[in-house]
PDB file of all heavy atoms in Angstrom:
ATOM      1  N   ALA F 307       9.528   4.453   9.227  1.00 98.00           N
ATOM      2  CA  ALA F 307       9.095   3.900   7.938  1.00 98.00           C
ATOM      3  C   ALA F 307       9.422   4.863   6.802  1.00 98.00           C
ATOM      4  O   ALA F 307       9.813   6.007   7.019  1.00 98.00           O
ATOM      5  CB  ALA F 307       7.589   3.624   7.977  1.00 98.00           C
ATOM      6  N   THR F 308       9.268   4.359   5.587  1.00 98.00           N
ATOM      7  CA  THR F 308       9.456   5.183   4.394  1.00 98.00           C
ATOM      8  C   THR F 308       8.157   5.948   4.149  1.00 98.00           C
ATOM      9  O   THR F 308       7.106   5.332   3.974  1.00 98.00           O
ATOM     10  CB  THR F 308       9.718   4.265   3.183  1.00 98.00           C
ATOM     11  OG1 THR F 308      10.793   3.383   3.502  1.00 98.00           O
ATOM     12  CG2 THR F 308      10.037   5.063   1.943  1.00 98.00           C
ATOM     13  N   PHE F 309       8.226   7.256   4.150  1.00 98.00           N
ATOM     14  CA  PHE F 309       7.007   8.046   3.912  1.00 98.00           C
ATOM     15  C   PHE F 309       7.006   8.555   2.476  1.00 98.00           C
ATOM     16  O   PHE F 309       7.882   9.319   2.072  1.00 98.00           O
ATOM     17  CB  PHE F 309       6.895   9.212   4.888  1.00 98.00           C
ATOM     18  CG  PHE F 309       6.776   8.770   6.332  1.00 98.00           C
ATOM     19  CD1 PHE F 309       7.009   9.655   7.363  1.00 98.00           C
ATOM     20  CD2 PHE F 309       6.410   7.467   6.655  1.00 98.00           C
ATOM     21  CE1 PHE F 309       6.902   9.251   8.690  1.00 98.00           C
ATOM     22  CE2 PHE F 309       6.295   7.053   7.972  1.00 98.00           C
ATOM     23  CZ  PHE F 309       6.548   7.949   8.985  1.00 98.00           C
ATOM     24  N   PHE F 310       6.005   8.147   1.759  1.00 98.00           N
ATOM     25  CA  PHE F 310       5.877   8.512   0.351  1.00 98.00           C
ATOM     26  C   PHE F 310       5.264   9.902   0.221  1.00 98.00           C
ATOM     27  O   PHE F 310       4.714  10.442   1.178  1.00 98.00           O
ATOM     28  CB  PHE F 310       4.994   7.471  -0.346  1.00 98.00           C
ATOM     29  CG  PHE F 310       5.746   6.218  -0.656  1.00 98.00           C
ATOM     30  CD1 PHE F 310       5.901   5.232   0.300  1.00 98.00           C
ATOM     31  CD2 PHE F 310       6.349   6.053  -1.897  1.00 98.00           C
ATOM     32  CE1 PHE F 310       6.635   4.093   0.028  1.00 98.00           C
ATOM     33  CE2 PHE F 310       7.080   4.919  -2.167  1.00 98.00           C
ATOM     34  CZ  PHE F 310       7.228   3.938  -1.216  1.00 98.00           C
ATOM     35  N   PRO F 311       5.287  10.429  -1.014  1.00 98.00           N
ATOM     36  CA  PRO F 311       4.518  11.660  -1.231  1.00 98.00           C
ATOM     37  C   PRO F 311       3.057  11.385  -0.871  1.00 98.00           C
ATOM     38  O   PRO F 311       2.565  10.266  -1.066  1.00 98.00           O
ATOM     39  CB  PRO F 311       4.661  11.897  -2.739  1.00 98.00           C
ATOM     40  CG  PRO F 311       5.930  11.205  -3.135  1.00 98.00           C
ATOM     41  CD  PRO F 311       6.024  10.014  -2.221  1.00 98.00           C
ATOM     42  N   HIS F 312       2.376  12.375  -0.359  1.00 98.00           N
ATOM     43  CA  HIS F 312       0.942  12.222  -0.105  1.00 98.00           C
ATOM     44  C   HIS F 312       0.234  12.005  -1.446  1.00 98.00           C
ATOM     45  O   HIS F 312       0.745  12.354  -2.516  1.00 98.00           O
ATOM     46  CB  HIS F 312       0.413  13.462   0.613  1.00 98.00           C
ATOM     47  CG  HIS F 312       0.548  13.378   2.099  1.00 98.00           C
ATOM     48  ND1 HIS F 312      -0.319  12.630   2.861  1.00 98.00           N
ATOM     49  CD2 HIS F 312       1.449  13.920   2.950  1.00 98.00           C
ATOM     50  CE1 HIS F 312       0.043  12.730   4.149  1.00 98.00           C
ATOM     51  NE2 HIS F 312       1.117  13.503   4.222  1.00 98.00           N
ATOM     52  N   ASN F 313      -0.985  11.451  -1.328  1.00 98.00           N
ATOM     53  CA  ASN F 313      -1.676  10.991  -2.535  1.00 98.00           C
ATOM     54  C   ASN F 313      -1.805  12.025  -3.645  1.00 98.00           C
ATOM     55  O   ASN F 313      -1.710  11.677  -4.829  1.00 98.00           O
ATOM     56  CB  ASN F 313      -3.074  10.464  -2.176  1.00 98.00           C
ATOM     57  CG  ASN F 313      -2.994   9.090  -1.549  1.00 98.00           C
ATOM     58  OD1 ASN F 313      -1.903   8.520  -1.426  1.00 98.00           O
ATOM     59  ND2 ASN F 313      -4.124   8.541  -1.144  1.00 98.00           N
ATOM     60  N   LEU F 314      -2.059  13.280  -3.305  1.00 98.00           N
ATOM     61  CA  LEU F 314      -2.261  14.250  -4.381  1.00 98.00           C
ATOM     62  C   LEU F 314      -1.010  14.348  -5.253  1.00 98.00           C
ATOM     63  O   LEU F 314      -1.099  14.508  -6.467  1.00 98.00           O
ATOM     64  CB  LEU F 314      -2.638  15.628  -3.820  1.00 98.00           C
ATOM     65  CG  LEU F 314      -3.275  16.560  -4.856  1.00 98.00           C
ATOM     66  CD1 LEU F 314      -4.618  16.032  -5.335  1.00 98.00           C
ATOM     67  CD2 LEU F 314      -3.455  17.969  -4.302  1.00 98.00           C
ATOM     68  N   ALA F 315       0.151  14.224  -4.622  1.00 98.00           N
ATOM     69  CA  ALA F 315       1.394  14.249  -5.401  1.00 98.00           C
ATOM     70  C   ALA F 315       1.549  12.947  -6.191  1.00 98.00           C
ATOM     71  O   ALA F 315       1.975  12.955  -7.348  1.00 98.00           O
ATOM     72  CB  ALA F 315       2.592  14.480  -4.483  1.00 98.00           C
ATOM     73  N   LEU F 316       1.170  11.821  -5.578  1.00 98.00           N
ATOM     74  CA  LEU F 316       1.221  10.564  -6.342  1.00 98.00           C
ATOM     75  C   LEU F 316       0.324  10.671  -7.575  1.00 98.00           C
ATOM     76  O   LEU F 316       0.604  10.084  -8.623  1.00 98.00           O
ATOM     77  CB  LEU F 316       0.772   9.372  -5.492  1.00 98.00           C
ATOM     78  CG  LEU F 316       1.677   8.927  -4.350  1.00 98.00           C
ATOM     79  CD1 LEU F 316       1.106   7.674  -3.687  1.00 98.00           C
ATOM     80  CD2 LEU F 316       3.105   8.667  -4.810  1.00 98.00           C
ATOM     81  N   GLY F 317      -0.753  11.458  -7.448  1.00 98.00           N
ATOM     82  CA  GLY F 317      -1.676  11.636  -8.571  1.00 98.00           C
ATOM     83  C   GLY F 317      -1.016  12.320  -9.760  1.00 98.00           C
ATOM     84  O   GLY F 317      -1.518  12.253 -10.879  1.00 98.00           O
ATOM     85  N   ALA F 318       0.120  12.976  -9.531  1.00 98.00           N
ATOM     86  CA  ALA F 318       0.826  13.644 -10.636  1.00 98.00           C
ATOM     87  C   ALA F 318       1.704  12.670 -11.418  1.00 98.00           C
ATOM     88  O   ALA F 318       2.173  12.973 -12.511  1.00 98.00           O
ATOM     89  CB  ALA F 318       1.692  14.770 -10.081  1.00 98.00           C
ATOM     90  N   ILE F 319       1.937  11.486 -10.853  1.00 98.00           N
ATOM     91  CA  ILE F 319       2.841  10.516 -11.484  1.00 98.00           C
ATOM     92  C   ILE F 319       2.136   9.829 -12.647  1.00 98.00           C
ATOM     93  O   ILE F 319       1.006   9.377 -12.528  1.00 98.00           O
ATOM     94  CB  ILE F 319       3.310   9.464 -10.445  1.00 98.00           C
ATOM     95  CG1 ILE F 319       4.104  10.155  -9.335  1.00 98.00           C
ATOM     96  CG2 ILE F 319       4.131   8.369 -11.104  1.00 98.00           C
ATOM     97  CD1 ILE F 319       4.560   9.222  -8.223  1.00 98.00           C
ATOM     98  N   GLN F 320       2.829   9.728 -13.756  1.00 96.00           N
ATOM     99  CA  GLN F 320       2.226   9.121 -14.948  1.00 96.00           C
ATOM    100  C   GLN F 320       2.513   7.624 -15.050  1.00 96.00           C
ATOM    101  O   GLN F 320       1.808   6.895 -15.735  1.00 96.00           O
ATOM    102  CB  GLN F 320       2.741   9.833 -16.211  1.00 96.00           C
ATOM    103  CG  GLN F 320       2.452  11.323 -16.204  1.00 96.00           C
ATOM    104  CD  GLN F 320       0.969  11.620 -15.975  1.00 96.00           C
ATOM    105  OE1 GLN F 320       0.123  11.197 -16.750  1.00 96.00           O
ATOM    106  NE2 GLN F 320       0.639  12.322 -14.896  1.00 96.00           N
ATOM    107  N   ASP F 321       3.548   7.180 -14.386  1.00 95.00           N
ATOM    108  CA  ASP F 321       3.964   5.782 -14.485  1.00 95.00           C
ATOM    109  C   ASP F 321       3.167   4.962 -13.451  1.00 95.00           C
ATOM    110  O   ASP F 321       3.460   4.977 -12.260  1.00 95.00           O
ATOM    111  CB  ASP F 321       5.473   5.742 -14.190  1.00 95.00           C
ATOM    112  CG  ASP F 321       6.023   4.329 -14.136  1.00 95.00           C
ATOM    113  OD1 ASP F 321       5.241   3.359 -14.233  1.00 95.00           O
ATOM    114  OD2 ASP F 321       7.256   4.206 -13.972  1.00 95.00           O
ATOM    115  N   THR F 322       2.165   4.228 -13.936  1.00 93.00           N
ATOM    116  CA  THR F 322       1.293   3.531 -12.985  1.00 93.00           C
ATOM    117  C   THR F 322       2.019   2.379 -12.287  1.00 93.00           C
ATOM    118  O   THR F 322       1.651   1.993 -11.181  1.00 93.00           O
ATOM    119  CB  THR F 322       0.021   3.004 -13.676  1.00 93.00           C
ATOM    120  OG1 THR F 322       0.399   2.348 -14.874  1.00 93.00           O
ATOM    121  CG2 THR F 322      -0.945   4.121 -13.978  1.00 93.00           C
ATOM    122  N   LEU F 323       3.047   1.827 -12.923  1.00 93.00           N
ATOM    123  CA  LEU F 323       3.812   0.776 -12.251  1.00 93.00           C
ATOM    124  C   LEU F 323       4.499   1.332 -11.006  1.00 93.00           C
ATOM    125  O   LEU F 323       4.561   0.688  -9.961  1.00 93.00           O
ATOM    126  CB  LEU F 323       4.848   0.164 -13.201  1.00 93.00           C
ATOM    127  CG  LEU F 323       5.807  -0.836 -12.558  1.00 93.00           C
ATOM    128  CD1 LEU F 323       5.064  -1.967 -11.870  1.00 93.00           C
ATOM    129  CD2 LEU F 323       6.766  -1.401 -13.596  1.00 93.00           C
ATOM    130  N   LEU F 324       4.986   2.556 -11.133  1.00 96.00           N
ATOM    131  CA  LEU F 324       5.654   3.180  -9.989  1.00 96.00           C
ATOM    132  C   LEU F 324       4.651   3.407  -8.856  1.00 96.00           C
ATOM    133  O   LEU F 324       4.974   3.213  -7.674  1.00 96.00           O
ATOM    134  CB  LEU F 324       6.302   4.503 -10.437  1.00 96.00           C
ATOM    135  CG  LEU F 324       7.115   5.246  -9.384  1.00 96.00           C
ATOM    136  CD1 LEU F 324       8.225   4.373  -8.819  1.00 96.00           C
ATOM    137  CD2 LEU F 324       7.700   6.530  -9.979  1.00 96.00           C
ATOM    138  N   ILE F 325       3.441   3.774  -9.223  1.00 97.00           N
ATOM    139  CA  ILE F 325       2.409   3.981  -8.191  1.00 97.00           C
ATOM    140  C   ILE F 325       2.133   2.652  -7.480  1.00 97.00           C
ATOM    141  O   ILE F 325       2.085   2.578  -6.255  1.00 97.00           O
ATOM    142  CB  ILE F 325       1.125   4.544  -8.845  1.00 97.00           C
ATOM    143  CG1 ILE F 325       1.386   5.962  -9.333  1.00 97.00           C
ATOM    144  CG2 ILE F 325      -0.047   4.515  -7.865  1.00 97.00           C
ATOM    145  CD1 ILE F 325       0.450   6.424 -10.403  1.00 97.00           C
TER     146      ILE F 325
END
Side-chain angles (χ1 to χ4, degrees):
T308 307
F309 297 163
F310 281 84
H312 273 282
N313 284 358
L314 198 65
L316 291 184
I319 297 177
Q320 302 306 300
D321 175 355
T322 47
L323 174 56
L324 184 57
I325 291 158

